[in-house]
């Protein structure tokens, strides 16, 4: 059994992690820590892997504490910049255990990470590629960070394959062609009832390839969180690792 | 057997009509007329319905000639304005037969006409509605005239239902949210391999309705053309009729 | 303000109704009744419309009580047969108020009801029609009752339009062509992550129309429940009414 | 310029290849050979790569002739079995040039080959996977050979990942759940207007990944044919190569 601690256990994501750990046959909860509780209760004697899902203002401090306690950490909190990442790297260099790991992911939905990866691979073989992302209407930014990342990955693949600009005979447009990210048109739909969805369309004469990732609810992150927990427990990822594709055999 | 004449028989659309008439069990070709040939060869003795698919500069003259010959006309040529339509109405008022018909349609694809109609009906029951149209990259205008028409029909339905603006919390956007037509966001994708496609997405809390029309090639217009020929032959549509929904029992 | 009572308020559906009523600007909760509590607390002095979401074994008794109390009733519980419906009709014939209403719906998701309706209308104009329903893998029956209903409505439309069998050159098949319901092929997909979805595909030469309804969660029923409550309050539906399309202006 | 000969130049596929070669900036036609003409006109002095699209009864003989002439061959004709492939291997072992190549592909649509490949990769990370293939109604076999291949590749990935059977609580079914290929449910839709399409649906709690390949017409094979011609000309593929993924950098 993998002993898992959850930091931020009463937050929306943290509570989902607690439930996912309880539901997993190969895991058991060691600690649940929330606001006002000391994460230093977690240590390498009572816990194998800690999952940290709090807020950007608290996350770095929590992670540094957990590193000092000799515990591997899976981090789902957002808001990491290079300065913060460097502090994590230095802490890991001085960690109690030689092969200690921290894993940070901007997106734990396996479908989204695979869609992004496949889109970049496929982009080398299609004349046209566009990205449509669809989210609930309360989202503040458009397009999503994920869609921008996908568009940039597509653009990089096209450059590598020696493609020039995509065919586009549009002469008259009042804005319907969307935002151009690194040469790739990105469209954002906002619709009540949706959660987070991304569709990549790739076209050649006579054929189309469509890759679509649907995240219907928070549960979509849990497979990725559990995968990360298992991989850190199995070992082989010393130091700081970023991005769920670290663990995908592609 | 319905005797059908085709005017513009060597054009791309006209040639498809010739083939569709030949393939139809209940029709036979009476005349095929092209550039340099006189449409006045067609008359009420040899033809029941003429199908006119030429160019905007020739179409009005052809239609007036056919009206004078006592023939019902199905018109697929584009470029009609109110002045031209009025000339057709006056010619019909003085036509040889009392119940003579002219039918003009901007779009003969039944799937597109139905999608437009259903979207307007459904729009009364959903908090959010957006339109995505997808075409081949050689198309000059964006969004398509069909998508603009659909958006306007959706907006009219929402007003009738007493809806205010759709929910949209977007704060930061670089153009990905598309063109706003009468309050409805419209997105245009251009992709090699596609022909003409429209998708209407409607959302409420917890649910989505998607209506999609795909026109894969010119063949998509032929069911609509044959339907119009049959309906004019059956009678009951004296005068000028515009739009394929005239014949759909909805 | 419409005064709404909820019977079965602690059940999964009932609890969602309680929340939806609390969230609606034009409604207020009058009573919440659950197992062991007497629905006769609800009467025409304190309540305009009662929503009944319990279990088949309790529903008829609850509805008869509410009718006797002079209250209009929206019923979401399943399991109604002709014998039970007849008891409701007789109770309504002797109800305290002359124009008293009971409304029963097998499906409150507006998207599903519209998809079914549109599919039947469109089926008169397409050579081929097939139905694909997709659900979570814990569903016991395949295909869904909704998909069977849609297939039957499509078949009825085709008969009315004079269509013969659909084109199908399949010679060799090991079962992949699905279940044939009244001449319409129905396919059932079971996939973890999905909830309840139905897609109707209609095809002619060169064109396709796709109508898809997605129910992502229980929230998908609430728009339909609130619509029914408002319609019963507005009046004009005396007696027993079945099916959400009663209230849709199509 | 790559000098390309086409054997079977008047067949439907061959004629498309002739046009695609004429349209390609880096290729020129050297010979077009059809029924009754001797493929031995093609040799290493006048041609770099021959494309063979004929019929199963003629293909082996053509390919052996072209090998003896010292020409690399791209073969699109179907109907190859191990005995025929072995004859090709032996001919190549005695070919005039040491690094001579023959390339045979069951499917030249890049979108279909990528969809198959991505589905197999992704299948290691999802609890549920099903395959839906959609074709025109004149297709004789159901499901398609491509769908069977995809299902088998998914099944192999799942075994490798240690997955047991997929979750499926279906108790009552009249055939709607499709054909089970190696544990994977495969559904076949037949619809007028469609050509050849495949959709793979993968689901976990809260998320879905959909991969869809659309082949709208014969043109969908041409990108794959031209890719193969260029790769054989560039060299590095001596001997017999089967399957378009040979040339895809995945």
């Amino acid at each position: 059994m993998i002993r898992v601690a959850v930091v931020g256990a009463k937050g929306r994501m943290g509570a989902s992690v607690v439930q996912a750990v309880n539901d997993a046959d190969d895991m058991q909860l060691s600690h649940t820590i929330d606001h006002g509780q000391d994460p230093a209760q977690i240590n390498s004697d009572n816990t194998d892997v800690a999952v940290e899902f709090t807020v950007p203002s608290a996350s770095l401090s929590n992670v540094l504490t957990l590193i000092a306690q000799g515990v591997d950490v899976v981090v789902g909190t957002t808001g990491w910049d290079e300065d913060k990442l460097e502090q994590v790297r230095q802490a890991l260099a001085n960690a109690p255990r030689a092969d200690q790991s921290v894993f940070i992911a901007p997106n734990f939905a396996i479908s989204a990470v695979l869609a992004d990866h496949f889109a970049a691979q496929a982009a080398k073989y299609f004349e046209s590629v566009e990205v449509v992302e669809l989210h609930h209407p309360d989202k503040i930014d458009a397009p999503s960070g994920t869609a921008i990342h996908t568009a940039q990955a597509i653009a990089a693949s096209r450059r590598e394959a020696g493609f020039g600009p995509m065919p586009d005979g549009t002469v008259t447009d009042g804005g319907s062609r969307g935002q151009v990210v690194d040469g790739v048109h990105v469209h954002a739909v906002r619709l009540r009832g949706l959660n987070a969805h991304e569709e990549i369309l790739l076209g050649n004469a006579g054929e189309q390839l469509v890759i679509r990732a649907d995240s219907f609810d928070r549960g979509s992150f849990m497979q990725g969180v559990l995968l990360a927990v298992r991989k850190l427990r199995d070992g082989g990822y010393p130091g700081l690792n970023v991005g769920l594709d670290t663990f995908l055999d592609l």
Side-chain angles (χ1 to χ4, degrees), chain A residues 110-228:
Chain A
I110 290 175
S111 53
V113 173
L114 288 174
D116 190 88
H117 180 82
F118 292 154
Q121 285 192 305
K124 286 178 279 189
Y125 303 104
F126 288 87
E127 213 178 319
S128 302
V129 192
E130 301 206 0
V131 177
V132 182
E133 56 93 330
L134 312 94
H135 281 83
H136 60 84
D138 302 324
K139 189 171 173 61
I140 289 171
D141 55 316
S144 67
T146 302
I148 291 173
H149 185 272
T150 302
Q152 290 170 336
I154 289 166
S157 278
R158 287 178 64 89
R159 278 191 296 271
E160 193 187 324
F163 275 115
M166 297 181 205
D168 185 359
T170 308
V171 173
T172 308
D173 179 33
S176 65
R177 292 285 288 116
Q179 179 171 340
V180 185
V181 175
D182 218 350
V184 179
H185 288 255
V186 178
H187 311 269
V189 173
R190 295 292 172 264
L191 206 78
R192 181 72 72 212
L194 296 182
N195 182 37
H197 314 257
E198 188 182 25
E199 193 164 298
I200 302 106
L201 300 97
L202 306 104
N204 279 329
E207 68 171 338
Q208 185 185 216
L209 178 68
V210 179
I211 300 167
R212 179 179 175 117
D214 295 290
S215 164
F216 298 118
D217 57 42
R218 276 194 299 285
S220 62
F221 293 136
M222 293 309 127
Q223 294 300 316
V225 170
L226 299 186
L227 177 67

Side-chain angles (χ1 to χ4, degrees), chain A residues 42-44 62-71 73 91-92 94-97 100:
Chain A
I42 302 167
N43 59 49
S44 56
N62 287 335
V63 172
L64 296 180
T65 297
L66 293 161
I67 292 171
Q69 297 290 98
V71 175
V73 193
L92 282 164
N94 302 307
R97 288 166 33 226
Q100 216 169 306

